[in-house]
Amino acid sequence: MSTKITLTTPNSLADPQAQRLVDFLREVGLPHENVLADPSERAIIASNLPGYLSSLPPDVKKDARYLSKFVIGAGTGLFDYALNAIWNEVVLDLRKKAVLYGIDIFFDAAVGGSKTRDFYSSEDDLAALKDSVLLDTCRKLELISDTTYKKLKHILDMRNDIGISHPTNYSINAFELMGWLQTCVQDVLNDRPTEAALQVQAFISNLKGYTNPIDISTKQTIERRFRELPTHLCGSLLRTVFGIYVAPDTDPGVRKNISELAPALWAVCRDEPRYRLGIVLEGYNSNLYKDKYALGEQFFNFVGGNAYRSASERLVIVDTLITELHDKHNGWDNFHHEAPVAASLWSYIPDQASIIDNLADKLFKTILLCRIGRGVSYNNGVSPGGKRYYDAILNNAGDKFAPHVMAALTHYEIAGQLSRSVCRTQAKQALEAVRKNVINQRLSECLTYLIENIEKVPNCTSNAEFKRLSADYINWN
């Protein structure tokens, strides 16, 4: 004897049982309106759902309890329950994708710039992420496509606004529900990460355990792959590589390999992940992670990223370096000791945009003092190792900071040195470095006047003619 199983038809779905449930709710005094979908909406589900389920491969349906819950919810008219069932399965699937991709990489992308990053380390911690953060991070790491992200974002909004957990007068219609089901099943539950995302995952997994030195050929291949990656994946990869480098249990061989590869990765990243990494580094210092902070400083040094450290950190560090450079200049064996400090200072202000306004006066006074030198014949009084950095900083002055340089010539320390002919010659070269990137014609005229007169007229920096020329840019009161 066999039992024949048939799919529910529109007529059987509109049976009196659903109405009896509604009548029961009314009788016991519970809300009964807009609880179950209208029979006409259930009929649409019954007409379309069987065909869609039949089209799914058996391996998709085999353990798909969420589909069973969806069918029961949709079939009885509890559309919001059905939506919740399918969305919960989407969340579980996205979490699985995160684990397969690499849980550390995923958390770095999701909460990497936050002070709470240390609280996220295992698969269980994924549950602490909001669904919106989970969705945004999956998109960022290319675990889902942009189109799928937009669809899921809409479904999440609808689930939050009209789902079973929120009171609302809006009723989900059958066609919406069927469309959302199709999106979730086809675009998420049967989808796989992009090839680029899988490459990043494989690279991180291999990097963590690779302690042998990387040969030139492999290094060049990896650097080429960096250039081929989407920029948002480069940013996520940079944050993860940084995290590996500063981790206390990372093998020294792995750190050495990162120091070889990270500069190329840094070069192809956008500014946003660089600045975010600077905030992370400051957080290590603020929260007394001294070992991580020291390693993080190493990382920023070898990638050339000091200009991207947080504004508050840079202010303190640059101010300290300017003072140190001034002391080295006036100290013993200044030619030798100035250069490393000048190099470090330059790493924090490699362009005009990175020059800190509040330190501009102090910066250009010190740079100009070092650039004009101490007036001795050896190397014309200027540190050979420091000279290139002094000229580079002066070259970045431009219209914005050229007045600071000109005003610095009247500072008592510099004015005193200008009594020496060797220093005046060096001052002329310094002014030529400044003029190179000045666009403003009046400022260019001021600099030209000084360049033409400073060697033979030491006090030209403060005479009446120069004061008249520069009155709009320097307050002579």
Side-chain angles (χ1 to χ4, degrees), residues 360-433:
D361 279 342
K362 183 177 181 181
L363 171 68
F364 286 107
K365 283 176 184 176
T366 302
I367 294 298
L368 199 55
L369 181 66
C370 294
R371 181 59 184 84
I372 67 174
R374 297 175 68 167
V376 297
S377 59
Y378 180 67
N379 286 312
N380 293 313
V382 182
S383 166
K387 183 178 179 181
R388 55 179 291 217
Y389 299 108
Y390 306 145
D391 284 345
I393 293 172
L394 292 168
N395 200 250
N396 284 336
D399 291 357
K400 183 176 182 180
F401 296 111
H404 291 270
V405 178
M406 295 187 297
L409 289 168
T410 63
H411 187 261
Y412 72 92
E413 280 188 280
I414 296 173
Q417 289 297 95
L418 291 179
S419 62
R420 307 181 184 201
S421 61
V422 175
C423 291
R424 294 198 297 274
T425 299
Q426 298 306 309
K428 178 181 178 180
Q429 294 175 9
L431 291 166
E432 287 171 342

Side-chain angles (χ1 to χ4, degrees), residues 16-139:
Q17 185 175 359
Q19 185 58 45
R20 287 199 297 270
L21 287 172
V22 173
D23 292 341
F24 175 76
L25 293 175
R26 184 189 299 111
E27 289 172 6
V28 298
L30 290 172
H32 61 278
E33 295 179 350
N34 295 324
V35 175
L36 299 183
D38 290 339
S40 60
E41 294 293 327
R42 301 203 302 273
I44 294 172
I45 292 291
S47 296
N48 293 275
L49 185 56
Y52 178 70
L53 294 174
S54 298
S55 70
L56 295 176
D59 60 324
V60 172
K61 295 184 287 187
K62 181 181 178 182
D63 298 314
R65 289 184 175 273
Y66 70 94
L67 283 178
S68 299
K69 293 180 180 180
F70 181 92
V71 171
I72 291 173
T76 58
L78 289 170
F79 285 4
D80 45 6
Y81 171 83
L83 174 58
N84 214 49
I86 191 69
W87 180 256
N88 287 343
E89 190 66 21
V90 167
V91 169
L92 291 175
D93 187 80
L94 293 179
R95 289 175 183 172
K96 290 177 184 177
K97 284 179 168 61
V99 173
L100 289 173
Y101 184 83
I103 197 71
D104 287 335
I105 311 175
F106 192 86
F107 282 139
D108 282 340
V111 292
S114 169
K115 293 180 180 179
T116 62
R117 171 61 181 91
D118 289 341
F119 295 96
Y120 294 85
S121 58
S122 70
E123 182 178 348
D124 294 337
D125 297 325
L126 285 168
L129 295 179
K130 291 183 177 180
D131 289 357
S132 58
V133 175
L134 177 69
L135 201 57
D136 291 344
T137 308
C138 286
R139 178 198 190 189

Side-chain angles (χ1 to χ4, degrees), residues 36 97 136 186 265 300 303 377 424 436 454 461 475:
L36 299 183
K97 284 179 168 61
D136 291 344
Q186 293 184 356
L265 177 59
F300 270 74
V303 298
S377 59
R424 294 198 297 274
K436 190 175 295 184
I454 196 165
T461 57
N475 184 2

Side-chain angles (χ1 to χ4, degrees), residues 240-450:
T240 302
V241 168
F242 176 79
I244 295 171
Y245 189 86
V246 301
D249 57 346
T250 297
D251 187 276
V254 174
R255 284 203 184 100
K256 175 62 177 176
N257 289 335
I258 290 175
S259 71
E260 296 287 335
L261 297 172
L265 177 59
W266 179 275
V268 297
C269 282
R270 293 179 295 186
D271 282 349
E272 181 186 0
R274 295 171 175 173
Y275 282 118
R276 287 185 65 191
L277 216 56
I279 295 172
V280 171
L281 180 60
E282 181 186 23
Y284 290 155
N285 192 33
S286 301
N287 294 298
L288 303 179
Y289 292 112
K290 295 304 181 184
D291 292 340
K292 280 189 171 183
Y293 183 71
L295 290 167
E297 284 193 305
Q298 290 179 13
F299 187 94
F300 270 74
N301 283 331
F302 62 65
V303 298
N306 282 328
Y308 291 86
R309 293 174 69 166
S310 69
S312 56
E313 266 211 315
R314 288 180 60 249
L315 180 65
V316 174
I317 293 171
V318 170
D319 185 41
T320 301
L321 286 171
I322 294 172
T323 300
E324 185 179 359
L325 181 61
H326 185 276
D327 292 343
K328 298 296 183 187
H329 176 73
N330 290 326
W332 174 80
D333 197 10
N334 68 298
F335 282 7
H336 174 72
H337 292 112
E338 281 182 35
V341 182
S344 182
L345 178 60
W346 163 252
S347 74
Y348 288 91
I349 50 171
D351 51 41
Q352 188 186 88
S354 60
I355 296 174
I356 301 169
D357 290 352
N358 293 344
L359 296 177
D361 279 342
K362 183 177 181 181
L363 171 68
F364 286 107
K365 283 176 184 176
T366 302
I367 294 298
L368 199 55
L369 181 66
C370 294
R371 181 59 184 84
I372 67 174
R374 297 175 68 167
V376 297
S377 59
Y378 180 67
N379 286 312
N380 293 313
V382 182
S383 166
K387 183 178 179 181
R388 55 179 291 217
Y389 299 108
Y390 306 145
D391 284 345
I393 293 172
L394 292 168
N395 200 250
N396 284 336
D399 291 357
K400 183 176 182 180
F401 296 111
H404 291 270
V405 178
M406 295 187 297
L409 289 168
T410 63
H411 187 261
Y412 72 92
E413 280 188 280
I414 296 173
Q417 289 297 95
L418 291 179
S419 62
R420 307 181 184 201
S421 61
V422 175
C423 291
R424 294 198 297 274
T425 299
Q426 298 306 309
K428 178 181 178 180
Q429 294 175 9
L431 291 166
E432 287 171 342
V434 174
R435 187 176 61 176
K436 190 175 295 184
N437 285 323
V438 167
I439 300 173
N440 183 290
Q441 292 184 355
R442 172 57 68 89
L443 288 174
S444 180
E445 185 179 357
C446 291
L447 289 165
T448 299
Y449 175 84
L450 293 175

